[in-house]
């Protein structure tokens, strides 16, 4: 219980500070605590539902989360989340665990690539770019992004932002709006995923006992992180989390092969 509280508080704190790190939760549950992958996914998506719900109102207040442009993304994500949850429930535990490690590896690597790319373009006026209106993305494109990322996320435990944000940025969406859209998208993914995994009949009574403390710790961590986001070097924290994720995923995959 203490480890669950600590992990959820720390990962929630990182989410509040930087907007990502949720993909470490299912790895913690399955790879460190040794829970069945489905139990880890159930607890993780319940936490993502909390952090996403807490994060969205702040972006609505600043005008960075217009709901109309999100409609196609969320529609695709709702369908993808249902499909991904069904896939996650059908796969054997061993395969599901390997997929989880692979997604964490790719997620961590994608964050590092994104950080390197942002550093190479440091001469750009980010404040000016952030104030510009988002480039138009077709509804079909947004739908496909939501469908594909949600399917992968729901089946593997990736929270959503780590996959959605780089894609939105690639299509010219300003950074704050991309983060905001990914947060509301993570809520849409988490709802069917949480219901599906907890209703699977594969959740032990001991796992249900962990749920309240995990969600409270995750919520507190997220709020504390969001309140102090301007006081830390987000770039350094993201780098540490991404490097750690890649290293852990590589180690776990190597151990699985051996």
């Amino acid at each position: 219980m203490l480890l669950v509280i600590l992990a959820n508080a720390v990962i929630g704190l990182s989410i509040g500070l930087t907007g990502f790190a949720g993909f470490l939760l299912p790895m913690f549950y399955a790879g460190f605590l040794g829970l069945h992958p489905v139990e880890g996914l159930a607890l993780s998506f319940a936490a993502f539902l909390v952090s996403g719900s807490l994060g969205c109102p702040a972006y609505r207040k600043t005008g960075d989360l217009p709901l109309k442009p999100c409609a196609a993304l969320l529609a695709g994500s709702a369908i993808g989340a249902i499909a991904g949850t069904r896939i996650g429930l059908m796969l054997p535990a061993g395969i599901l665990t390997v997929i989880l490690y692979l997604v964490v590896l790719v997620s961590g690597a994608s964050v590092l690539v994104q950080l390197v790319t942002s550093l190479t373009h440091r001469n750009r006026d980010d404040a000016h770019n952030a104030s510009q209106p988002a480039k138009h993305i077709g509804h079909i494109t947004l739908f496909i992004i939501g469908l594909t990322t949600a399917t992968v996320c729901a089946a593997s435990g990736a929270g959503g932002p780590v996959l959605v944000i780089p894609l939105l940025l690639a299509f010219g969406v300003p950074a704050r709006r991309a983060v905001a859209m990914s947060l509301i998208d993570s809520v849409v993914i988490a709802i069917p995923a949480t219901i599906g995994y907890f209703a699977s009949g594969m959740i032990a009574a001991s796992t249900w006992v962990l749920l309240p403390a995990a969600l409270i710790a995750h919520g507190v961590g997220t709020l504390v992180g969001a309140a102090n986001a301007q006081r830390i070097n987000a770039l350094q924290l993201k780098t540490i989390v991404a490097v750690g994720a890649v290293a852990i995923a590589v180690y776990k995959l190597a151990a699985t092969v051996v």
Side-chain angles (χ1 to χ4, degrees):
M1 178 69 77
L2 181 59
L3 289 174
V4 168
I5 292 173
L6 181 61
N8 274 276
V10 171
I11 293 175
L13 180 68
S14 182
I15 291 175
L17 289 170
T18 66
F20 87 111
F23 57 87
L24 296 178
L25 259 186
M27 174 174 279
F28 163 76
Y29 286 124
F32 186 75
L33 288 189
L35 297 181
H36 189 283
V38 169
E39 294 180 306
L41 290 173
L43 289 171
S44 297
F45 279 110
F48 300 155
L49 182 58
V50 170
S51 55
S53 299
L54 290 175
C56 288
Y59 285 97
R60 283 289 292 167
K61 289 181 180 179
T62 60
D64 293 305
L65 183 57
L67 297 181
K68 188 175 180 180
C70 295
L73 177 70
L74 301 184
S77 294
I79 298 173
I82 295 172
T85 302
R86 292 182 63 87
I87 293 172
L89 291 172
M90 290 188 298
L91 292 174
I95 295 178
L96 193 58
T97 301
V98 171
I99 291 175
L100 168 61
Y101 296 155
L102 287 172
V103 170
V104 171
L105 176 61
V106 173
S107 299
S110 70
V111 171
L112 291 175
V113 171
Q114 181 183 345
L115 291 175
V116 171
T117 302
S118 66
L119 287 175
T120 59
H121 294 83
R122 180 171 286 182
N123 58 324
R124 295 173 59 186
D125 187 352
D126 294 331
H128 174 73
N129 291 336
S131 67
Q132 299 305 305
K135 294 180 181 179
H136 176 72
I137 307 178
H139 295 307
I140 295 178
T141 301
L142 284 170
F143 181 87
I144 293 174
I145 290 175
L147 179 67
T148 53
T149 56
T151 301
V152 174
C153 290
S156 65
V162 75
L163 299 181
V164 175
I165 291 175
L167 289 174
L168 293 180
L169 291 176
F171 280 94
V173 177
R176 284 187 59 83
R177 180 167 295 187
V179 173
M181 291 176 68
S182 73
L183 278 176
I184 193 171
D185 186 57
S186 70
V187 174
V188 171
I189 296 172
I191 292 173
T194 301
I195 294 173
Y197 286 121
F198 271 112
S200 65
M202 304 170 67
I203 310 299
S206 58
T207 302
W208 283 99
V209 173
L210 297 174
L211 183 62
L215 297 187
I216 292 173
H218 194 77
V220 171
T222 302
L223 290 175
V224 172
N228 294 276
Q230 304 301 322
R231 301 181 181 180
I232 58 98
N233 188 321
L235 180 63
Q236 290 183 355
L237 182 58
K238 284 184 178 183
T239 303
I240 292 172
V241 172
V243 171
V246 171
I248 295 172
V250 169
Y251 172 78
K252 288 292 187 178
L253 286 170
T256 301
V257 173
V258 174

